[in-house]
Amino acid sequence: MTNNVAEKIKRLRKAKGFSQDDMAERMHISQSAYARIENGESHSWATHIEKLSEIFEMKPEDFLTDETNNFSSLDQLGGFAFQNVGTITTINSFLSEKLVEQYEERIKELKEQVDYWKNQSQGSK
């Protein structure tokens, strides 16, 4: 899923004529962090989904939908609408999981820093 989103972000960026530096600046992240998103090496796009939506003027769920679908009848369109409800639920679930993982990782890092500084202060006494 991340690679599909990464490819879509890259296509959208190029269509807008933005460089990776432009995108990083607009998202308030480093160019290398943006490059990892676009290369599919990072799931942090989920954290930045609202900003990406704003930049590309699209809904967050549009990053996860297949834009190659073509429909020729109303029955297919009705099925597509139902499919999108499932997609939105999947998106919300995926984003929630990723956010929880990122927060847990950050908490772990902060706890390690607290332990480090506690040890440093105890060693200087």
Side-chain angles (χ1 to χ4, degrees):
M1 180 181 293
T2 296
N3 287 335
N4 292 341
V5 173
E7 289 171 20
K8 183 174 264 190
I9 292 170
K10 186 175 187 174
R11 280 194 317 272
L12 290 165
R13 173 183 63 80
K14 288 182 175 186
K16 289 269 190 183
F18 296 148
S19 68
Q20 287 188 346
D21 285 326
D22 295 333
M23 288 298 297
E25 186 175 321
R26 290 169 186 268
M27 294 172 64
H28 307 290
I29 61 175
S30 69
Q31 186 276 330
S32 60
Y34 177 79
R36 285 191 299 277
I37 291 170
E38 199 171 274
N39 292 329
E41 298 167 6
S42 170
H43 295 290
S44 67
W45 61 265
T47 304
H48 302 286
I49 194 79
E50 288 184 31
K51 190 65 177 173
L52 287 165
S53 296
E54 179 184 312
I55 292 167
F56 295 125
E57 301 171 346
M58 56 194 287
K59 294 181 275 185
E61 57 268 22
D62 292 341
F63 286 95
L64 298 169
T65 57
D66 182 7
E67 59 199 32
T68 60
N69 289 332
N70 293 318
F71 302 99
S72 58
S73 75
L74 291 176
D75 289 337
Q76 287 177 313
L77 287 173
F80 182 68
F82 181 74
Q83 179 184 359
N84 275 343
V85 170
T87 301
I88 292 168
T89 302
T90 302
I91 292 167
N92 287 338
S93 175
F94 177 79
L95 293 177
S96 296
E97 289 174 21
K98 290 299 164 193
L99 286 172
V100 168
E101 287 175 18
Q102 289 175 351
Y103 281 124
E104 287 174 345
E105 183 63 30
R106 184 66 180 138
I107 289 169
K108 180 181 170 189
E109 290 170 1
L110 291 171
K111 283 181 178 180
E112 289 170 0
Q113 287 180 5
V114 167
D115 289 342
Y116 171 80
W117 289 112
K118 277 184 183 177
N119 291 334
Q120 290 294 316
S121 69
Q122 290 172 354
S124 64
K125 289 182 182 180

